[in-house]
Amino acid sequence: MSKKYNSLIVVPMKNPNNSKSRLSDTLAPEARRRLAILLFRNTIDVLINSLKLSEKNFDIAVITNSDQISEIAKKKDILVIKDDTDPVLSRSITIASNWAKFNSYESMCVIPADLADPKIKDIISFISYPLPERGLVITPSIDLGTNALHVSPVNLIKFQYGKKSSLKHINSAKNVGVTPIMLPFDSLRFDVDTSSDLKELLAINPDLAERVKI
């Protein structure tokens, strides 16, 4: 998939063998790996279907250090940005931002790979929000992390993922004279990091336990 459009959706995805470490008390390593891949595949499929239905002009890219994830992305005709460092989310998104700037993208949207149950209507609403030439739109996670972020230009702010990162991103936007827009879409606020997140996910999708072999 070559560059087609002026806006880019980036999905950061580390090596699934190293994913979901916060679930180590709940899931065995192989189950965590399977869960990470299933969530990633679902997020990508929802994004692809959302773009088809919305007819919005975005390319999709995954930034990863995993050959397995790169192969999955290529089979789905998705761009791959290689991150050869030991992935740290803020640094990975900065690498993606630099790549997007080099490739002349006007805006960049970041969507997590581990959303529990993203809804097409919420994805469409988020990416369809009219972003100005200099603007930031954000959906915080339940614990005030950053679960969806859309910025223009692609290097508008310093990316600061981690605890309460949505507040950091909002303040960074204000510091460069941009009024941030918060869009609290329910299905974009819920990612899977903790045992309680997993329990809630299995309540939504009980068949997942068999697929992950929990």
Side-chain angles (χ1 to χ4, degrees):
M1 179 178 177
S2 59
K3 181 181 184 295
K4 296 179 182 177
Y5 303 120
N6 290 326
S7 295
L8 181 69
I9 296 175
V10 174
V11 181
M13 180 65 187
K14 67 170 66 172
N15 189 317
N17 294 331
N18 303 323
S19 297
K20 300 294 152 209
S21 58
R22 292 171 65 184
L23 293 174
S24 58
D25 292 340
T26 305
L27 297 180
E30 180 59 22
R32 296 201 306 271
R33 186 189 70 81
R34 284 193 292 266
L35 175 63
I37 293 173
L38 283 170
L39 292 173
F40 169 71
R41 285 183 179 274
N42 183 62
T43 296
I44 291 297
D45 288 343
V46 170
L47 287 173
I48 290 171
N49 289 331
S50 297
L51 291 176
K52 288 178 180 177
L53 290 172
S54 69
E55 299 182 346
K56 298 298 290 184
N57 295 334
F58 285 79
D59 286 330
I60 303 175
V62 59
I63 180 164
T64 187
N65 66 337
S66 166
D67 291 339
Q68 181 182 12
I69 295 301
S70 295
E71 286 304 310
I72 292 172
K74 289 173 183 176
K75 287 178 180 178
K76 292 182 178 290
D77 198 25
I78 287 172
L79 297 165
V80 175
I81 305 170
K82 293 296 289 183
D83 182 0
D84 294 326
T85 64
D86 182 19
V88 175
L89 185 53
S90 296
R91 186 169 61 207
S92 294
I93 299 306
T94 300
I95 291 170
S97 171
N98 291 337
W99 185 93
K101 182 180 179 181
F102 179 81
N103 286 281
S104 302
Y105 285 97
E106 295 172 0
S107 74
M108 182 178 73
C109 180
V110 183
I111 301 291
D114 61 349
L115 292 173
D117 189 31
K119 301 298 186 186
I120 288 177
K121 63 180 180 62
D122 287 347
I123 293 288
I124 291 175
S125 295
F126 185 85
I127 64 176
S128 298
Y129 190 89
L131 190 70
E133 186 176 336
R134 284 174 53 82
L136 179 145
V137 178
I138 190 168
T139 296
S141 64
I142 294 170
D143 61 359
L144 296 180
T146 302
N147 266 21
L149 181 68
H150 194 186
V151 293
S152 175
V154 298
N155 60 347
L156 175 73
I157 59 168
K158 178 182 178 181
F159 299 101
Q160 303 174 80
Y161 284 84
K163 189 175 182 180
K164 296 186 177 180
S165 63
S166 64
L167 303 181
K168 297 175 184 177
H169 290 143
I170 287 168
N171 287 332
S172 292
K174 291 178 179 177
N175 288 339
V176 295
V178 169
T179 301
I181 303 297
M182 282 195 293
L183 300 175
F185 294 113
D186 286 343
S187 78
L188 304 186
R189 299 187 68 201
F190 177 29
D191 51 7
V192 183
D193 283 327
T194 66
S195 298
S196 60
D197 295 337
L198 179 62
K199 184 177 180 180
E200 188 171 347
L201 173 62
L202 293 176
I204 296 170
N205 187 356
D207 294 339
L208 189 65
E210 177 59 30
R211 295 173 67 192
V212 176
K213 295 182 170 55
I214 295 175

